[in-house]
Amino acid sequence: MDYIVFEKDGKTYRRTPEVIDVWFDSGSMPFAQMHYPFENKELFEKSFPADFIAEGIDQTRGWFYTMHNIGTALFDKPAFSNVIVNDMILDKKGLKMSKSKGNTVDPFEIMDKYGADAVRWYLLTNNVPWKPTLFNEEDISKTVIADFFRSLTNTYAFFALYANIDEFTGNEAEIPLKERPEIDRWIISKMNTLVSEYRHLMDGYDPTRALRAIQEFAVNDVSNWYVRRNRRRFWKGEKDADKIAAYQTLREVLLTIVKMIAPAAPFLAEDLYLRLKTDENQQSVHLNDMPEPDAEKLDEDLERRMATAQQIVFLARSLREKSKIKTRQPLRRILVPVANPQERRDIQQVEDIICEEINVRGIEYMKDDAGIVRRSAKANFKTIGKKFGKLTKDVAAVIKEFTHDEIQELLRTQRLQRDVAGVLVEIEPDDVEVMNEDIEGWLVASEGKVTVALDTELDAELIVEGIAREFVNRIQTLRKSSGFEVTDRIRIKFSAPEEIAAAIEKRSEYVMSETLAEEVLKAENAGGTELDINDAMINVRLEKV
């Protein structure tokens, strides 16, 4: 007997004894929640079908099915237009979590430890939601917090530090974009390209790629490139138009990033937004519209040139690491093969940036890389087996005989047509494994169409400059650990072995300009801190002037 009874307006109500399939109730949600057709007719017709639904993969034959089934039967329409379905969360070995295996994870403990924003960002960016997620707690701390969140918050901290020193309020008269340095125009263009890509991906219900794009931009383009390359503009004393432009550019970029991460990292976004805003009426990041791209601020040519510079720098740094030559040690040159005059012009326009980033004196250009690298090829059977079937062995034999020039043409044009056993086949870069053999005396690296050769020979002048740069690095670290303010002028006293001391004295003007030093004095015993330069011990004492 059912004891659930209630009265209303003089009537007694009892529950219907017959029970229908409960999935019918869930499938009726789109119209039942609005009490349609008895009321809210206009509202229902405006909102049905829904733009998207988000649920677990187990709802495929449950809720998803019944909503479509009932929606089609009643309205001749599907119940929703898009679906973002999330698959299972497995342990880091790909096994299903269970208490018996002892591999379960308490989500509340994880969020207490790392924060809800970090966990949410990890789950959204680790892989697309419709594939199983192999949950690895270490990736939250290393990839999300240490890599992305720390880069973003450190960039803000850098901005805030110097903005407070210079009393930058954000309300200064705006420096027109066309009057700002090229590096500012580049990051603003890159930011608008990102906004366009982000909106396109989010409109296409691809949050994983959208958030990864933000992360890559914030870490690689903003923190590791723009901020690092512009430190001097923030350090310098005078608050001129160039410095104001730097502040305005970085603040605009940070605000745009904050608004785009807000749906996935709402707490971090809100905290940074409240620190960056200048108008008291701007109450919350979540009350802002999503940024829209400004076509007038886009510069595709500039972005292309800078991308080439970044790629060359990446390759050259990898060669430095391979040869164990420190970044602060200047080198004489790199060689860059170019296929046509346009490629050479593109690189020449960013030549100063490349040389400064990888610490080389100059770039030399070649029409072809045959003089610095030998290439050979072999077939990639993972791709050609499926692609060419019975012709696989014959295609592999053709690929093995590729000359250096043929490999070069394949990389440049992305395809080669060859007659194989009377059949015209098209060979693509994925079908080929390319092996590079360095020419003696050079280190060579390639990626796509770009090849870089690094001259690692050191002469006396390069060695002196390398020592001076290492000394500057130690002084900057010592300034920070000694509690000096970033604006403090100092006096440097040092004692060092003769070779090190001679190099420091020879480049003393450079040392002073980089460290805000009034004097660099050699002493028999400086009575300060022991430091290491190139496996030699030196003693340094800093005094505030």
Side-chain angles (χ1 to χ4, degrees):
M1 187 175 181
D2 190 354
Y3 294 99
I4 305 299
V5 179
F6 66 91
E7 294 184 356
K8 182 178 181 181
D9 299 331
K11 294 182 180 180
T12 299
Y13 293 85
R14 300 179 188 278
R15 294 193 295 187
T16 303
E18 296 82 7
V19 178
I20 197 171
D21 183 352
V22 293
W23 283 111
F24 181 86
D25 286 346
S26 67
S28 302
M29 179 277 293
F31 59 89
Q33 67 176 341
M34 299 181 184
H35 203 212
Y36 176 91
F38 306 104
E39 57 183 319
N40 299 319
K41 185 174 184 294
E42 184 178 343
L43 177 61
F44 169 73
E45 292 175 349
K46 183 179 180 181
S47 60
F48 185 85
D51 288 334
F52 79 99
I53 190 169
E55 253 293 352
I57 197 169
D58 53 313
Q59 297 292 353
T60 302
R61 296 180 64 184
W63 195 26
F64 297 163
Y65 165 73
T66 53
M67 277 196 292
H68 274 334
N69 193 319
I70 294 171
T72 303
L74 294 179
F75 308 104
D76 197 27
K77 293 180 182 179
F80 47 87
S81 301
N82 298 277
V83 58
I84 301 180
V85 61
N86 55 278
D87 207 321
M88 302 294 291
I89 296 181
L90 310 174
D91 73 6
K92 63 182 179 181
K93 296 180 181 179
L95 301 175
K96 187 175 180 179
M97 294 186 186
S98 67
K99 291 183 179 179
S100 62
K101 294 179 180 178
N103 62 347
T104 58
V105 175
D106 186 329
F108 296 102
E109 289 182 4
I110 293 294
M111 284 187 281
D112 286 342
K113 186 175 182 179
Y114 298 109
D117 278 1
V119 177
R120 186 185 299 108
W121 192 274
Y122 166 71
L123 291 174
L124 283 166
T125 59
N126 186 46
N127 64 271
V128 290
W130 49 88
K131 289 185 177 181
T133 293
L134 274 60
F135 186 86
N136 188 348
E137 182 179 336
E138 292 182 358
D139 288 341
I140 301 177
S141 60
K142 292 181 179 179
T143 304
V144 178
I145 296 178
D147 190 17
F148 175 45
F149 281 10
R150 187 167 296 165
S151 288
L152 183 57
T153 53
N154 283 350
T155 298
Y156 165 75
F158 173 84
F159 167 82
L161 172 65
Y162 291 100
N164 287 328
I165 290 174
D166 287 319
E167 298 181 346
F168 175 80
T169 65
N171 294 314
E172 290 82 355
E174 183 174 357
I175 307 296
L177 185 61
K178 64 181 180 180
E179 296 179 12
R180 300 186 197 184
E182 185 176 71
I183 190 75
D184 290 355
R185 301 197 304 274
W186 165 75
I187 197 66
I188 293 295
S189 177
K190 188 80 173 177
M191 179 193 74
N192 278 277
T193 297
L194 169 68
V195 171
S196 180
E197 180 185 5
Y198 173 84
R199 292 180 70 98
H200 172 73
L201 291 170
M202 292 295 273
D203 286 343
Y205 300 93
D206 192 350
T208 299
R209 290 174 61 199
L211 299 184
R212 284 178 180 175
I214 298 173
Q215 183 167 315
E216 182 178 352
F217 174 74
V219 175
N220 296 332
D221 292 319
V222 180
S223 178
N224 293 343
W225 194 261
Y226 179 80
V227 171
R228 190 171 48 76
R229 286 203 52 75
N230 284 280
R231 288 184 181 276
R232 295 174 188 274
R233 295 172 67 193
F234 295 92
W235 287 343
K236 65 182 183 181
E238 63 276 15
K239 185 183 175 183
D240 56 11
D242 179 66
K243 179 180 267 194
I244 292 174
Y247 283 130
Q248 290 176 342
T249 299
L250 187 53
R251 179 176 176 273
E252 181 181 353
V253 169
L254 284 170
L255 275 171
T256 302
I257 292 174
V258 163
K259 291 173 184 178
M260 287 192 290
I261 70 169
F267 303 111
L268 176 61
E270 182 75 344
D271 179 68
L272 292 176
Y273 177 81
L274 294 177
R275 296 168 184 265
L276 287 164
K277 72 182 183 73
T278 58
D279 187 343
E280 291 300 322
N281 294 322
Q282 298 170 327
Q283 298 178 355
S284 169
V285 67
H286 304 293
L287 297 178
N288 282 262
D289 291 333
M290 189 57 67
E292 294 189 16
D294 186 342
E296 293 185 357
K297 295 180 178 179
L298 292 173
D299 190 331
E300 294 181 0
D301 289 339
L302 177 55
E303 287 191 43
R304 186 189 69 251
R305 295 196 301 271
M306 197 67 77
T308 300
Q310 289 174 305
Q311 190 175 12
I312 292 174
V313 168
F314 170 79
L315 291 173
R317 283 178 179 164
S318 71
L319 292 175
R320 276 184 174 273
E321 292 176 8
K322 180 179 177 181
S323 61
K324 298 182 179 180
I325 299 176
K326 296 178 180 178
T327 303
R328 284 182 285 274
Q329 172 58 60
L331 295 174
R332 184 179 296 108
R333 58 179 174 162
I334 61 171
L335 298 184
V336 179
V338 290
N340 54 64
Q342 183 59 54
E343 282 188 17
R344 177 166 183 160
R345 286 192 294 270
D346 281 351
I347 298 173
Q348 285 176 326
Q349 290 188 61
V350 289
E351 190 170 305
D352 291 344
I353 294 174
I354 295 170
C355 291
E356 184 177 338
E357 282 293 316
I358 58 178
N359 198 9
V360 297
R361 295 284 177 83
I363 300 176
E364 295 180 13
Y365 301 92
M366 305 173 64
K367 289 184 178 181
D368 188 88
D369 64 5
I372 56 173
V373 63
R374 297 188 185 95
R375 286 197 171 103
S376 60
K378 66 179 181 178
N380 179 4
F381 285 96
K382 290 182 180 179
T383 63
I384 70 171
K386 298 177 182 178
K387 187 173 179 181
F388 298 114
K390 295 180 180 180
L391 289 173
T392 298
K393 288 186 178 180
D394 294 321
V395 172
V398 170
I399 292 173
K400 187 177 180 180
E401 297 301 321
F402 276 178
T403 65
H404 178 94
D405 291 341
E406 285 177 310
I407 297 171
Q408 192 75 345
E409 183 182 353
L410 173 64
L411 295 175
R412 186 174 64 253
T413 64
Q414 298 295 292
R415 59 179 53 84
L416 280 181
Q417 289 186 337
R418 290 293 182 268
D419 185 302
V420 178
V423 179
L424 187 64
V425 301
E426 189 170 89
I427 300 172
E428 298 175 319
D430 288 344
D431 303 328
V432 179
E433 292 183 31
V434 178
M435 284 79 69
N436 294 332
E437 180 185 346
D438 297 347
I439 299 297
E440 187 176 352
W442 292 92
L443 289 177
V444 183
S446 299
E447 183 181 80
K449 299 179 182 179
V450 177
T451 297
V452 173
L454 186 68
D455 182 356
T456 59
E457 184 181 350
L458 298 176
D459 59 23
E461 186 179 351
L462 292 172
I463 292 172
V464 166
E465 187 174 342
I467 292 172
R469 286 174 178 264
E470 292 289 348
F471 185 67
V472 166
N473 172 261
R474 305 302 189 277
I475 298 299
Q476 300 290 39
T477 302
L478 187 57
R479 276 184 64 112
K480 187 175 181 179
S481 63
S482 301
F484 286 98
E485 297 293 334
V486 294
T487 55
D488 286 344
R489 295 283 174 173
I490 61 170
R491 179 182 297 109
I492 302 172
K493 293 185 177 180
F494 76 96
S495 53
E498 184 56 38
E499 181 183 4
I500 303 293
I504 294 170
E505 290 183 311
K506 187 172 183 179
R507 298 303 304 274
S508 60
E509 291 294 328
Y510 163 76
V511 172
M512 289 190 290
S513 67
E514 292 292 311
T515 61
L516 295 183
E518 299 290 339
E519 292 180 288
V520 179
L521 303 174
K522 179 183 175 183
E524 288 297 323
N525 185 359
T529 304
E530 292 287 331
L531 300 173
D532 171 81
I533 291 182
N534 297 348
D535 298 324
M537 298 306 297
I538 67 171
N539 190 284
V540 177
R541 180 155 59 96
L542 305 183
E543 299 173 354
K544 183 177 178 180
V545 176

PDB file of all heavy atoms in Angstrom, residues 316-341:
ATOM      1  N   ALA A 316      69.030  25.354 -32.866  1.00  0.00           N
ATOM      2  CA  ALA A 316      70.389  25.735 -32.451  1.00  0.00           C
ATOM      3  C   ALA A 316      70.613  25.433 -30.973  1.00  0.00           C
ATOM      4  O   ALA A 316      71.699  24.984 -30.570  1.00  0.00           O
ATOM      5  CB  ALA A 316      70.625  27.217 -32.734  1.00  0.00           C
ATOM      6  N   ARG A 317      69.601  25.656 -30.145  1.00  0.00           N
ATOM      7  CA  ARG A 317      69.732  25.342 -28.714  1.00  0.00           C
ATOM      8  C   ARG A 317      69.900  23.843 -28.497  1.00  0.00           C
ATOM      9  O   ARG A 317      70.650  23.407 -27.622  1.00  0.00           O
ATOM     10  CB  ARG A 317      68.509  25.854 -27.949  1.00  0.00           C
ATOM     11  CG  ARG A 317      68.528  27.365 -27.718  1.00  0.00           C
ATOM     12  CD  ARG A 317      67.270  27.792 -27.012  1.00  0.00           C
ATOM     13  NE  ARG A 317      67.265  29.228 -26.746  1.00  0.00           N
ATOM     14  CZ  ARG A 317      66.183  29.912 -26.431  1.00  0.00           C
ATOM     15  NH1 ARG A 317      65.007  29.288 -26.340  1.00  0.00           N
ATOM     16  NH2 ARG A 317      66.239  31.208 -26.207  1.00  0.00           N
ATOM     17  N   SER A 318      69.177  23.058 -29.299  1.00  0.00           N
ATOM     18  CA  SER A 318      69.325  21.605 -29.166  1.00  0.00           C
ATOM     19  C   SER A 318      70.743  21.172 -29.508  1.00  0.00           C
ATOM     20  O   SER A 318      71.277  20.232 -28.904  1.00  0.00           O
ATOM     21  CB  SER A 318      68.303  20.886 -30.067  1.00  0.00           C
ATOM     22  OG  SER A 318      68.636  21.026 -31.438  1.00  0.00           O
ATOM     23  N   LEU A 319      71.363  21.869 -30.464  1.00  0.00           N
ATOM     24  CA  LEU A 319      72.742  21.551 -30.829  1.00  0.00           C
ATOM     25  C   LEU A 319      73.705  21.960 -29.717  1.00  0.00           C
ATOM     26  O   LEU A 319      74.703  21.269 -29.460  1.00  0.00           O
ATOM     27  CB  LEU A 319      73.110  22.257 -32.133  1.00  0.00           C
ATOM     28  CG  LEU A 319      72.381  21.758 -33.379  1.00  0.00           C
ATOM     29  CD1 LEU A 319      72.736  22.620 -34.588  1.00  0.00           C
ATOM     30  CD2 LEU A 319      72.716  20.298 -33.658  1.00  0.00           C
ATOM     31  N   ARG A 320      73.434  23.079 -29.073  1.00  0.00           N
ATOM     32  CA  ARG A 320      74.253  23.499 -27.925  1.00  0.00           C
ATOM     33  C   ARG A 320      74.202  22.435 -26.823  1.00  0.00           C
ATOM     34  O   ARG A 320      75.216  22.073 -26.226  1.00  0.00           O
ATOM     35  CB  ARG A 320      73.777  24.842 -27.380  1.00  0.00           C
ATOM     36  CG  ARG A 320      74.339  26.054 -28.098  1.00  0.00           C
ATOM     37  CD  ARG A 320      73.869  27.320 -27.398  1.00  0.00           C
ATOM     38  NE  ARG A 320      74.477  28.513 -27.929  1.00  0.00           N
ATOM     39  CZ  ARG A 320      75.638  29.027 -27.530  1.00  0.00           C
ATOM     40  NH1 ARG A 320      76.323  28.431 -26.592  1.00  0.00           N
ATOM     41  NH2 ARG A 320      76.111  30.142 -28.069  1.00  0.00           N
ATOM     42  N   GLU A 321      72.987  21.961 -26.534  1.00  0.00           N
ATOM     43  CA  GLU A 321      72.837  20.942 -25.497  1.00  0.00           C
ATOM     44  C   GLU A 321      73.574  19.661 -25.884  1.00  0.00           C
ATOM     45  O   GLU A 321      74.214  19.019 -25.045  1.00  0.00           O
ATOM     46  CB  GLU A 321      71.348  20.656 -25.264  1.00  0.00           C
ATOM     47  CG  GLU A 321      70.594  21.814 -24.634  1.00  0.00           C
ATOM     48  CD  GLU A 321      69.110  21.533 -24.512  1.00  0.00           C
ATOM     49  OE1 GLU A 321      68.713  20.378 -24.782  1.00  0.00           O
ATOM     50  OE2 GLU A 321      68.346  22.449 -24.157  1.00  0.00           O
ATOM     51  N   LYS A 322      73.484  19.315 -27.166  1.00  0.00           N
ATOM     52  CA  LYS A 322      74.156  18.113 -27.660  1.00  0.00           C
ATOM     53  C   LYS A 322      75.664  18.206 -27.476  1.00  0.00           C
ATOM     54  O   LYS A 322      76.329  17.224 -27.125  1.00  0.00           O
ATOM     55  CB  LYS A 322      73.808  17.916 -29.135  1.00  0.00           C
ATOM     56  CG  LYS A 322      74.439  16.689 -29.776  1.00  0.00           C
ATOM     57  CD  LYS A 322      74.007  16.577 -31.237  1.00  0.00           C
ATOM     58  CE  LYS A 322      74.678  15.388 -31.933  1.00  0.00           C
ATOM     59  NZ  LYS A 322      74.262  15.294 -33.360  1.00  0.00           N
ATOM     60  N   SER A 323      76.214  19.396 -27.711  1.00  0.00           N
ATOM     61  CA  SER A 323      77.666  19.590 -27.621  1.00  0.00           C
ATOM     62  C   SER A 323      78.103  20.067 -26.236  1.00  0.00           C
ATOM     63  O   SER A 323      79.282  20.287 -26.001  1.00  0.00           O
ATOM     64  CB  SER A 323      78.126  20.606 -28.667  1.00  0.00           C
ATOM     65  OG  SER A 323      77.498  21.856 -28.445  1.00  0.00           O
ATOM     66  N   LYS A 324      77.116  20.268 -25.338  1.00  0.00           N
ATOM     67  CA  LYS A 324      77.384  20.725 -23.960  1.00  0.00           C
ATOM     68  C   LYS A 324      78.080  22.086 -23.929  1.00  0.00           C
ATOM     69  O   LYS A 324      78.937  22.339 -23.071  1.00  0.00           O
ATOM     70  CB  LYS A 324      78.198  19.673 -23.198  1.00  0.00           C
ATOM     71  CG  LYS A 324      77.463  18.347 -23.052  1.00  0.00           C
ATOM     72  CD  LYS A 324      78.278  17.343 -22.248  1.00  0.00           C
ATOM     73  CE  LYS A 324      77.499  16.033 -22.112  1.00  0.00           C
ATOM     74  NZ  LYS A 324      78.265  15.019 -21.337  1.00  0.00           N
ATOM     75  N   ILE A 325      77.696  22.941 -24.871  1.00  0.00           N
ATOM     76  CA  ILE A 325      78.192  24.327 -24.873  1.00  0.00           C
ATOM     77  C   ILE A 325      77.122  25.213 -24.242  1.00  0.00           C
ATOM     78  O   ILE A 325      75.993  25.251 -24.713  1.00  0.00           O
ATOM     79  CB  ILE A 325      78.494  24.814 -26.301  1.00  0.00           C
ATOM     80  CG1 ILE A 325      79.578  23.953 -26.929  1.00  0.00           C
ATOM     81  CG2 ILE A 325      78.930  26.286 -26.287  1.00  0.00           C
ATOM     82  CD1 ILE A 325      79.870  24.309 -28.374  1.00  0.00           C
ATOM     83  N   LYS A 326      77.472  25.901 -23.189  1.00  0.00           N
ATOM     84  CA  LYS A 326      76.505  26.713 -22.462  1.00  0.00           C
ATOM     85  C   LYS A 326      75.959  27.842 -23.329  1.00  0.00           C
ATOM     86  O   LYS A 326      76.659  28.368 -24.202  1.00  0.00           O
ATOM     87  CB  LYS A 326      77.146  27.299 -21.204  1.00  0.00           C
ATOM     88  CG  LYS A 326      77.584  26.245 -20.189  1.00  0.00           C
ATOM     89  CD  LYS A 326      78.256  26.901 -18.994  1.00  0.00           C
ATOM     90  CE  LYS A 326      78.708  25.855 -17.981  1.00  0.00           C
ATOM     91  NZ  LYS A 326      79.400  26.481 -16.828  1.00  0.00           N
ATOM     92  N   THR A 327      74.708  28.219 -23.055  1.00  0.00           N
ATOM     93  CA  THR A 327      74.064  29.277 -23.841  1.00  0.00           C
ATOM     94  C   THR A 327      74.803  30.594 -23.721  1.00  0.00           C
ATOM     95  O   THR A 327      74.834  31.395 -24.663  1.00  0.00           O
ATOM     96  CB  THR A 327      72.606  29.456 -23.380  1.00  0.00           C
ATOM     97  OG1 THR A 327      71.928  28.204 -23.500  1.00  0.00           O
ATOM     98  CG2 THR A 327      71.892  30.494 -24.230  1.00  0.00           C
ATOM     99  N   ARG A 328      75.401  30.833 -22.562  1.00  0.00           N
ATOM    100  CA  ARG A 328      76.089  32.118 -22.356  1.00  0.00           C
ATOM    101  C   ARG A 328      77.446  32.187 -23.047  1.00  0.00           C
ATOM    102  O   ARG A 328      78.081  33.238 -23.051  1.00  0.00           O
ATOM    103  CB  ARG A 328      76.234  32.392 -20.849  1.00  0.00           C
ATOM    104  CG  ARG A 328      74.939  32.847 -20.205  1.00  0.00           C
ATOM    105  CD  ARG A 328      75.121  33.167 -18.728  1.00  0.00           C
ATOM    106  NE  ARG A 328      75.249  31.967 -17.926  1.00  0.00           N
ATOM    107  CZ  ARG A 328      74.225  31.272 -17.428  1.00  0.00           C
ATOM    108  NH1 ARG A 328      72.983  31.675 -17.668  1.00  0.00           N
ATOM    109  NH2 ARG A 328      74.418  30.197 -16.705  1.00  0.00           N
ATOM    110  N   GLN A 329      77.920  31.089 -23.618  1.00  0.00           N
ATOM    111  CA  GLN A 329      79.171  31.107 -24.364  1.00  0.00           C
ATOM    112  C   GLN A 329      78.898  31.512 -25.817  1.00  0.00           C
ATOM    113  O   GLN A 329      78.246  30.795 -26.554  1.00  0.00           O
ATOM    114  CB  GLN A 329      79.829  29.728 -24.349  1.00  0.00           C
ATOM    115  CG  GLN A 329      81.047  29.604 -25.253  1.00  0.00           C
ATOM    116  CD  GLN A 329      82.136  30.603 -24.918  1.00  0.00           C
ATOM    117  OE1 GLN A 329      82.655  30.610 -23.815  1.00  0.00           O
ATOM    118  NE2 GLN A 329      82.478  31.468 -25.867  1.00  0.00           N
ATOM    119  N   PRO A 330      79.377  32.701 -26.248  1.00  0.00           N
ATOM    120  CA  PRO A 330      79.137  33.131 -27.634  1.00  0.00           C
ATOM    121  C   PRO A 330      79.817  32.193 -28.627  1.00  0.00           C
ATOM    122  O   PRO A 330      80.878  31.624 -28.352  1.00  0.00           O
ATOM    123  CB  PRO A 330      79.762  34.529 -27.688  1.00  0.00           C
ATOM    124  CG  PRO A 330      79.924  34.953 -26.272  1.00  0.00           C
ATOM    125  CD  PRO A 330      80.134  33.704 -25.487  1.00  0.00           C
ATOM    126  N   LEU A 331      79.201  32.036 -29.793  1.00  0.00           N
ATOM    127  CA  LEU A 331      79.783  31.268 -30.885  1.00  0.00           C
ATOM    128  C   LEU A 331      79.866  32.150 -32.121  1.00  0.00           C
ATOM    129  O   LEU A 331      79.210  33.195 -32.202  1.00  0.00           O
ATOM    130  CB  LEU A 331      78.940  30.022 -31.170  1.00  0.00           C
ATOM    131  CG  LEU A 331      78.882  28.989 -30.040  1.00  0.00           C
ATOM    132  CD1 LEU A 331      77.911  27.877 -30.381  1.00  0.00           C
ATOM    133  CD2 LEU A 331      80.268  28.414 -29.742  1.00  0.00           C
ATOM    134  N   ARG A 332      80.693  31.719 -33.072  1.00  0.00           N
ATOM    135  CA  ARG A 332      80.978  32.576 -34.212  1.00  0.00           C
ATOM    136  C   ARG A 332      79.813  32.679 -35.189  1.00  0.00           C
ATOM    137  O   ARG A 332      79.460  33.755 -35.635  1.00  0.00           O
ATOM    138  CB  ARG A 332      82.225  32.057 -34.946  1.00  0.00           C
ATOM    139  CG  ARG A 332      82.672  32.951 -36.103  1.00  0.00           C
ATOM    140  CD  ARG A 332      83.917  32.424 -36.791  1.00  0.00           C
ATOM    141  NE  ARG A 332      85.051  32.428 -35.880  1.00  0.00           N
ATOM    142  CZ  ARG A 332      85.591  31.321 -35.346  1.00  0.00           C
ATOM    143  NH1 ARG A 332      85.089  30.132 -35.651  1.00  0.00           N
ATOM    144  NH2 ARG A 332      86.610  31.395 -34.523  1.00  0.00           N
ATOM    145  N   ARG A 333      79.156  31.536 -35.535  1.00  0.00           N
ATOM    146  CA  ARG A 333      78.176  31.588 -36.613  1.00  0.00           C
ATOM    147  C   ARG A 333      77.313  30.327 -36.642  1.00  0.00           C
ATOM    148  O   ARG A 333      77.663  29.302 -36.055  1.00  0.00           O
ATOM    149  CB  ARG A 333      78.872  31.726 -37.966  1.00  0.00           C
ATOM    150  CG  ARG A 333      79.846  30.590 -38.234  1.00  0.00           C
ATOM    151  CD  ARG A 333      80.531  30.678 -39.559  1.00  0.00           C
ATOM    152  NE  ARG A 333      81.559  29.640 -39.685  1.00  0.00           N
ATOM    153  CZ  ARG A 333      82.090  29.254 -40.829  1.00  0.00           C
ATOM    154  NH1 ARG A 333      81.709  29.833 -41.958  1.00  0.00           N
ATOM    155  NH2 ARG A 333      83.008  28.306 -40.871  1.00  0.00           N
ATOM    156  N   ILE A 334      76.219  30.459 -37.357  1.00  0.00           N
ATOM    157  CA  ILE A 334      75.450  29.297 -37.790  1.00  0.00           C
ATOM    158  C   ILE A 334      75.274  29.393 -39.301  1.00  0.00           C
ATOM    159  O   ILE A 334      75.317  30.483 -39.873  1.00  0.00           O
ATOM    160  CB  ILE A 334      74.061  29.217 -37.106  1.00  0.00           C
ATOM    161  CG1 ILE A 334      73.212  30.452 -37.440  1.00  0.00           C
ATOM    162  CG2 ILE A 334      74.179  28.994 -35.626  1.00  0.00           C
ATOM    163  CD1 ILE A 334      71.768  30.334 -36.985  1.00  0.00           C
ATOM    164  N   LEU A 335      75.085  28.244 -39.924  1.00  0.00           N
ATOM    165  CA  LEU A 335      74.774  28.196 -41.345  1.00  0.00           C
ATOM    166  C   LEU A 335      73.316  27.768 -41.505  1.00  0.00           C
ATOM    167  O   LEU A 335      72.866  26.829 -40.846  1.00  0.00           O
ATOM    168  CB  LEU A 335      75.669  27.201 -42.076  1.00  0.00           C
ATOM    169  CG  LEU A 335      77.183  27.479 -42.078  1.00  0.00           C
ATOM    170  CD1 LEU A 335      77.882  26.423 -42.931  1.00  0.00           C
ATOM    171  CD2 LEU A 335      77.479  28.865 -42.612  1.00  0.00           C
ATOM    172  N   VAL A 336      72.588  28.465 -42.373  1.00  0.00           N
ATOM    173  CA  VAL A 336      71.182  28.140 -42.616  1.00  0.00           C
ATOM    174  C   VAL A 336      70.971  28.005 -44.122  1.00  0.00           C
ATOM    175  O   VAL A 336      71.077  28.994 -44.846  1.00  0.00           O
ATOM    176  CB  VAL A 336      70.242  29.219 -42.051  1.00  0.00           C
ATOM    177  CG1 VAL A 336      68.783  28.855 -42.340  1.00  0.00           C
ATOM    178  CG2 VAL A 336      70.463  29.403 -40.556  1.00  0.00           C
ATOM    179  N   PRO A 337      70.675  26.806 -44.617  1.00  0.00           N
ATOM    180  CA  PRO A 337      70.330  26.656 -46.037  1.00  0.00           C
ATOM    181  C   PRO A 337      68.960  27.269 -46.322  1.00  0.00           C
ATOM    182  O   PRO A 337      68.035  27.111 -45.520  1.00  0.00           O
ATOM    183  CB  PRO A 337      70.292  25.134 -46.237  1.00  0.00           C
ATOM    184  CG  PRO A 337      71.009  24.566 -45.050  1.00  0.00           C
ATOM    185  CD  PRO A 337      70.766  25.519 -43.930  1.00  0.00           C
ATOM    186  N   VAL A 338      68.832  27.969 -47.454  1.00  0.00           N
ATOM    187  CA  VAL A 338      67.542  28.551 -47.847  1.00  0.00           C
ATOM    188  C   VAL A 338      67.219  28.105 -49.262  1.00  0.00           C
ATOM    189  O   VAL A 338      68.096  27.999 -50.117  1.00  0.00           O
ATOM    190  CB  VAL A 338      67.558  30.093 -47.760  1.00  0.00           C
ATOM    191  CG1 VAL A 338      67.619  30.550 -46.312  1.00  0.00           C
ATOM    192  CG2 VAL A 338      68.731  30.682 -48.537  1.00  0.00           C
ATOM    193  N   ALA A 339      65.932  27.850 -49.511  1.00  0.00           N
ATOM    194  CA  ALA A 339      65.509  27.314 -50.809  1.00  0.00           C
ATOM    195  C   ALA A 339      65.261  28.399 -51.838  1.00  0.00           C
ATOM    196  O   ALA A 339      65.350  28.153 -53.044  1.00  0.00           O
ATOM    197  CB  ALA A 339      64.250  26.465 -50.634  1.00  0.00           C
ATOM    198  N   ASN A 340      64.934  29.619 -51.361  1.00  0.00           N
ATOM    199  CA  ASN A 340      64.596  30.689 -52.298  1.00  0.00           C
ATOM    200  C   ASN A 340      64.854  32.042 -51.660  1.00  0.00           C
ATOM    201  O   ASN A 340      65.057  32.139 -50.427  1.00  0.00           O
ATOM    202  CB  ASN A 340      63.127  30.558 -52.741  1.00  0.00           C
ATOM    203  CG  ASN A 340      62.183  30.493 -51.556  1.00  0.00           C
ATOM    204  OD1 ASN A 340      62.074  31.445 -50.779  1.00  0.00           O
ATOM    205  ND2 ASN A 340      61.487  29.363 -51.413  1.00  0.00           N
ATOM    206  N   PRO A 341      64.847  33.124 -52.441  1.00  0.00           N
ATOM    207  CA  PRO A 341      65.120  34.465 -51.902  1.00  0.00           C
ATOM    208  C   PRO A 341      64.149  34.899 -50.803  1.00  0.00           C
ATOM    209  O   PRO A 341      64.541  35.612 -49.872  1.00  0.00           O
ATOM    210  CB  PRO A 341      65.000  35.367 -53.145  1.00  0.00           C
ATOM    211  CG  PRO A 341      65.300  34.467 -54.293  1.00  0.00           C
ATOM    212  CD  PRO A 341      64.733  33.136 -53.908  1.00  0.00           C
TER     213      PRO A 341
END
